[in-house]
Amino acid sequence: MKLIDRRSIGVRFWLYFSGMAIFILVLLWLLQIVFINSFYQTIKIRQTEEIGRTVSASFGTPNFEGTVLRESFRQNASVQVYNEEGILVFPLNPLDYIFQPMVDKGDFERYFRPLTQENTKEFTYVSPYEGTENSAILYVTYLGEEAGHKFYLSVSSILDPVDSTVEILKNQLVIISIISLILAFVLSYFLSRRLAKPLSNMAKTARQLGRGDYDVTFDTRGYTEVHDLAQTLNYATGELTKTIELRKDLIANVSHDLKTPLTLIKSYGEMIRDISGDLPELRERHIQTILEEADYLTGFVNDLLDLSRVESGISALELEEVDLEALTRETLSRFAHLEEEGYEFVIHLKGSPMAICDASKIRQVIYNFISNGVNYSHNQKRLDIHITEEEDGVALSVQDYGIGISQEHLEGIWERYYRASANYKRSDVGTGLGLSICKNILELHGFPYGVNSVEGEGSTFYFVATKANPQ
């Protein structure tokens, strides 16, 4: 039997919902049973005081007597007006005119006299009613003077016992509590399962993903939050799948780039040992090939290290004022051997070439743009390099007239070994990591960059460097 996981959202929701239902019932019992007497007394006192204040406010007006009678009948309270001698002056019935009812002198001194002696406008008293279990509320206030006489107001009402009412409420609350608790436990159980089910399904799908099944799809049906989470996880799954594929391609391509020169080095070494050892001219050619392949391996490893440093953010920029034209000509010196093969590199300068950048890193970008153009120029052995001062910076572009790039591949070319997905072959110049290094360097500088290309007509790679301040 599976143990209940107390930390699961379903169990927690069930406990919280049930706890809230129990809390509400306890609060209801306290208000309706335990504190009902004090609540009832507080409300009754407030009503009695409101009657007295309403009547007091109308003293001295033509409708004063009507207000007294109306409030007395409306609130079922005794409202009486006494003079300074304690004699009842209103309301009076016919017999009252003969017997002149009045307040006991001791009671008058106790309840009414302090109103004028202590300069207090009103008092409210609560005391047991003689001979019964009830209590009485007495509100007294000083109304004021009229025709040389002082008048006082008393409002009294009875606090009826609520024991019978409490007993009825107890019986009702017992039934309500039982029904409420059953409904709360059952409803919270089903609601918690319904709430937790999408998350449980998502956890199962995530476990499948963890086992290497990258074709899984997270169910986006359900609540808005679950929908958003599922969409995010689906996006993450897609990106993870791309990363896995890129890693496979990267390993395959790195292996290819390492294996080819190592094979050539070994083969030419064996040829020197077995064939050309005693033939100086042939031996020299074989040794040159070995040196070229060793240089390629060194450049490849250096590019991997550069890419790692830039991507990890540990390669800091050393900004300075740089002449992009001079930097480009210096970089082109590394392609001098290609000029002997018929390649033509033409620099077009417009405006000032002065920019603020890290010279060594931008040299890498220019070199990789040129080497990329060489690799894809094929028979069109001409590259035009434009350096143009613009309003918002200095733009440098390298234009080739080779095979171009299809629109669907334009965004992906900045990734490592992107072209490996289709007939990967070793570059004529460079290591195949150049554009990825360019992307990271230019983003580290914060320079805009991109490529414009037409398939079959050629490509133009460019970036816009920060312009140096004029002298």
Side-chain angles (χ1 to χ4, degrees):
M1 183 176 178
K2 187 177 179 181
L3 295 176
I4 295 176
D5 183 4
R6 294 184 180 180
R7 297 181 64 185
S8 72
I9 190 171
V11 173
R12 288 293 180 91
F13 182 81
W14 179 74
L15 290 174
Y16 293 154
F17 192 89
S18 300
M20 184 179 66
I22 293 173
F23 173 76
I24 292 174
L25 286 174
V26 170
L27 186 62
L28 189 61
W29 273 83
L30 289 174
L31 294 178
Q32 295 295 323
I33 305 300
V34 178
F35 300 120
I36 190 170
N37 279 313
S38 59
F39 285 157
Y40 171 66
Q41 178 173 312
T42 301
I43 293 172
K44 196 70 174 176
I45 290 173
R46 187 180 303 161
Q47 289 178 345
T48 304
E49 290 175 344
E50 287 177 356
I51 295 172
R53 289 164 188 158
T54 302
V55 173
S56 298
S58 65
F59 179 72
T61 63
N63 62 343
F64 173 70
E65 295 182 359
T67 301
V68 172
L69 295 174
R70 183 178 66 252
E71 292 296 322
S72 177
F73 285 113
R74 187 171 68 87
Q75 300 290 352
N76 192 26
S78 174
V79 182
Q80 296 174 321
V81 178
Y82 296 91
N83 60 19
E84 56 192 353
E85 297 175 358
I87 299 173
L88 178 66
V89 296
F90 187 82
L92 297 172
N93 58 47
L95 292 177
D96 290 338
Y97 287 100
I98 299 174
F99 296 104
Q100 289 188 334
M102 60 183 299
V103 178
D104 180 79
K105 187 174 181 180
D107 290 339
F108 187 84
E109 292 294 328
R110 176 184 176 187
Y111 296 119
F112 292 94
R113 192 66 68 188
L115 292 171
T116 53
Q117 292 178 349
E118 299 179 12
N119 197 26
T120 303
K121 187 175 177 67
E122 59 184 16
F123 282 113
T124 302
Y125 304 92
V126 179
S127 57
Y129 201 75
E130 296 181 3
T132 68
E133 297 180 357
N134 300 349
S135 295
I137 301 172
L138 176 65
Y139 169 86
V140 295
T141 185
Y142 175 63
L143 292 176
E145 289 190 26
E146 192 174 81
H149 296 283
K150 295 180 179 179
F151 295 95
Y152 300 87
L153 174 69
S154 76
V155 181
S156 60
S157 58
I158 302 300
L159 281 173
D160 296 319
V162 294
D163 294 342
S164 58
T165 304
V166 169
E167 192 63 32
I168 295 173
L169 287 175
K170 280 183 181 178
N171 295 331
Q172 290 180 342
L173 284 176
V174 168
I175 298 172
I176 292 173
S177 299
I178 294 173
I179 296 174
S180 298
L181 287 175
I182 293 173
L183 287 176
F185 290 146
V186 173
L187 285 176
S188 62
Y189 173 75
F190 286 105
L191 287 174
S192 62
R193 288 196 58 178
R194 183 176 177 83
L195 177 66
K197 187 176 180 181
L199 298 177
S200 299
N201 293 338
M202 205 170 290
K204 293 178 183 177
T205 306
R207 283 193 289 270
Q208 288 180 259
L209 179 63
R211 289 193 292 266
D213 183 3
Y214 301 110
D215 294 327
V216 298
T217 302
F218 290 90
D219 190 356
T220 58
R221 294 174 298 177
Y223 311 105
T224 300
E225 292 79 6
V226 173
H227 171 82
D228 293 343
L229 178 59
Q231 280 194 322
T232 303
L233 290 174
N234 283 329
Y235 173 76
T237 302
E239 293 301 308
L240 178 61
T241 303
K242 291 179 184 178
T243 302
I244 296 297
E245 293 299 320
L246 180 61
R247 185 186 67 179
K248 291 178 181 177
D249 291 341
L250 180 62
I251 293 173
N253 296 329
V254 169
S255 300
H256 180 279
D257 273 335
L258 290 174
K259 184 178 180 181
T260 300
L262 288 173
T263 301
L264 288 172
I265 289 171
K266 181 180 179 182
S267 300
Y268 278 88
E270 291 175 347
M271 290 173 67
I272 292 173
R273 182 192 65 190
D274 299 333
I275 300 173
S276 61
D278 297 327
L279 302 173
E281 184 178 345
L282 185 58
R283 183 181 64 216
E284 186 67 27
R285 195 161 60 244
H286 290 169
I287 290 175
Q288 183 61 34
T289 301
I290 291 174
L291 292 174
E292 288 175 358
E293 293 303 320
D295 289 340
Y296 175 83
L297 279 176
T298 301
F300 181 73
V301 171
N302 287 336
D303 277 353
L304 282 176
L305 291 174
D306 287 340
L307 183 60
S308 177
R309 279 195 294 266
V310 174
E311 287 185 338
S312 63
I314 62 175
S315 182
L317 294 177
E318 296 181 6
L319 298 178
E320 57 183 325
E321 190 171 312
V322 177
D323 186 332
L324 291 183
E325 181 190 14
L327 191 64
T328 303
R329 293 190 184 279
E330 178 188 336
T331 306
L332 283 173
S333 65
R334 300 171 63 183
F335 296 90
H337 63 286
L338 293 178
E339 293 179 344
E340 299 174 1
E341 299 177 13
Y343 278 90
E344 185 180 4
F345 304 97
V346 182
I347 296 177
H348 305 272
L349 177 62
K350 183 179 179 180
S352 172
M354 304 306 294
I356 301 297
C357 60
D358 186 315
S360 63
K361 289 182 172 57
I362 294 300
R363 183 186 294 111
Q364 280 184 282
V365 173
I366 297 172
Y367 175 83
N368 286 319
F369 277 5
I370 294 173
S371 65
N372 186 77
V374 170
N375 288 329
Y376 292 98
S377 288
H378 289 247
N379 296 326
Q380 304 296 325
K381 296 184 177 182
R382 176 187 172 95
L383 268 69
D384 286 305
I385 303 169
H386 297 268
I387 303 173
T388 306
E389 181 183 10
E390 299 178 348
E391 184 178 347
D392 55 350
V394 180
L396 186 147
S397 63
V398 177
Q399 182 178 8
D400 68 67
Y401 304 94
I403 61 175
I405 307 167
S406 63
Q407 294 297 313
E408 60 189 87
H409 294 144
L410 278 179
E411 290 186 7
I413 61 172
W414 302 98
E415 304 300 327
R416 291 173 289 183
Y417 282 119
Y418 176 78
R419 62 198 172 129
S421 59
N423 300 324
Y424 173 79
K425 72 180 187 66
R426 177 172 158 175
S427 306
D428 297 326
V429 180
T431 61
L433 298 172
L435 292 181
S436 182
I437 294 174
C438 293
K439 170 190 173 183
N440 284 277
I441 289 175
L442 293 172
E443 288 182 351
L444 189 62
H445 278 80
F447 293 168
Y449 68 94
V451 57
N452 298 315
S453 184
V454 178
E455 197 169 4
E457 297 183 12
S459 305
T460 301
F461 286 84
Y462 67 89
F463 67 86
V464 182
T466 303
K467 185 163 52 175
N469 292 327
Q471 299 295 330

